[in-house]
Amino acid sequence: MIKGIIFDLDGVLVSTDELHYEAWKQLAEELGITSFTKEDNEKQRGVSRMESLEIVLNKGDKVYSEEEKEALAERKNDCYKELLETLDDSAVLSGVKEAISYLKEKGLLIGVGSVSKNTPVILQKTGLESYIDKVSCGLDITNSKPDPEVFLVAAKKLELEPEECLVVEDSEAGIVAAKAAGMKSLGVGPYYKSLGATYEATGLDADIDWESILEG
Ligand code: BG6
Ligand code: MG
């Protein structure tokens, strides 16, 4: 029996992909890397900030020290945070508020499980904050997805057992993390068919059979 739903943030609740892409692209260009594409950006889905940086740096041939990499990641994040200033309710993906309202009415607890350290500001700026019971994010964890930590922390905050939680994810790393946490998953987004999730839907605006999913 499922008692709580843990939603990933980027690509599941909100559309921030373009902003991440813009910020990484800007950093890449500053470093003289002109070959960073949308396709490379797709590989950053669900992946931590430092691992995302590696995907950018691999497109160039310069070697950076750990200290330099930290500074580069911070530079990207400053740019991303500036772009987040413009974020509002319109970034919330279609069907999100309806699905969460439906689930809350059914008595389900709602959590967020995201490796993004910008999770609190994104929830606040989009107005999603009031829909969420507990947040587990990059600020709470030391290991990023595919490690299960972010979902286990979410379950703990919701005071639920892992098997009582369902994860909603748009990335392969997130689905692997859900499995490792002992949780069933619903895969959504452009790659929903190839994520290896327990259940699949194009997005939260699809015709999802919540009744049978919640039976577990
Ligand atoms: C994930 C995104 O949700 O958060 C990744 O899918 C991103 O692309 C990661 O790298 C970390 O986000 P942030 O906001 O802490 O840099
Ligand atoms: Mg995601």
Side-chain angles (χ1 to χ4, degrees):
M1 178 83 171
I2 301 297
K3 296 184 180 168
I5 314 284
I6 304 172
F7 292 93
D8 171 49
L9 181 69
D10 298 307
V12 171
L13 297 181
V14 297
S15 149
T16 43
D17 308 348
E18 270 305 315
L19 305 183
H20 271 297
Y21 177 57
E22 233 180 278
W24 283 123
K25 180 111 187 117
Q26 189 172 314
L27 178 75
E29 276 163 15
E30 281 168 20
L31 299 177
I33 300 168
T34 51
S35 59
F36 179 72
T37 62
K38 207 81 220 180
E39 215 181 346
D40 299 311
N41 172 239
E42 284 301 330
K43 294 186 202 129
Q44 295 174 318
R45 203 175 271 265
V47 165
S48 76
R49 193 181 302 168
M50 292 311 285
E51 284 169 89
S52 293
L53 173 67
E54 293 297 338
I55 293 171
V56 175
L57 297 183
N58 283 341
K59 301 293 287 189
D61 46 20
K62 282 197 200 112
V63 177
Y64 296 90
S65 70
E66 283 312 308
E67 219 169 53
E68 286 169 326
K69 284 182 188 174
E70 290 287 345
L72 292 176
E74 203 175 313
R75 218 154 103 191
K76 179 266 172 180
N77 194 50
D78 286 344
C79 174
Y80 181 57
K81 279 201 306 205
E82 220 168 280
L83 296 171
L84 285 179
E85 288 292 321
T86 63
L87 206 70
D88 61 20
D89 168 70
S90 64
V92 177
L93 287 164
S94 167
V96 165
K97 288 183 180 169
E98 293 80 356
I100 295 183
S101 300
Y102 168 81
L103 293 164
K104 275 176 105 77
E105 253 170 54
K106 291 193 82 67
L108 274 290
L109 291 172
I110 307 297
V112 164
S114 167
V115 297
S116 171
K117 292 181 174 154
N118 292 296
T119 298
V121 65
I122 292 171
L123 291 176
Q124 190 258 321
K125 289 194 84 70
T126 54
L128 280 175
E129 216 174 28
S130 59
Y131 287 74
I132 312 296
D133 295 306
K134 297 286 173 196
V135 175
S136 165
C137 74
L139 301 169
D140 300 294
I141 55 163
T142 44
N143 304 299
S144 292
K145 299 169 189 176
D147 189 281
E149 188 179 2
V150 75
F151 294 138
L152 292 173
V153 169
K156 203 166 182 187
K157 287 191 180 190
L158 292 168
E159 296 182 39
L160 293 175
E161 295 301 322
E163 61 273 19
E164 294 175 320
C165 299
L166 174 90
V167 166
V168 186
E169 258 293 349
D170 71 320
S171 75
E172 203 181 328
I175 297 294
V176 174
K179 263 188 210 155
M183 299 175 188
K184 286 189 177 160
S185 57
L186 169 64
V188 296
Y191 306 102
Y192 76 102
K193 271 191 190 298
S194 58
L195 300 176
T198 322
Y199 310 102
E200 296 169 348
T202 48
L204 288 167
D205 54 358
D207 189 13
I208 299 169
D209 184 2
W210 286 112
E211 290 289 336
S212 52
I213 291 179
L214 297 178
E215 272 166 30

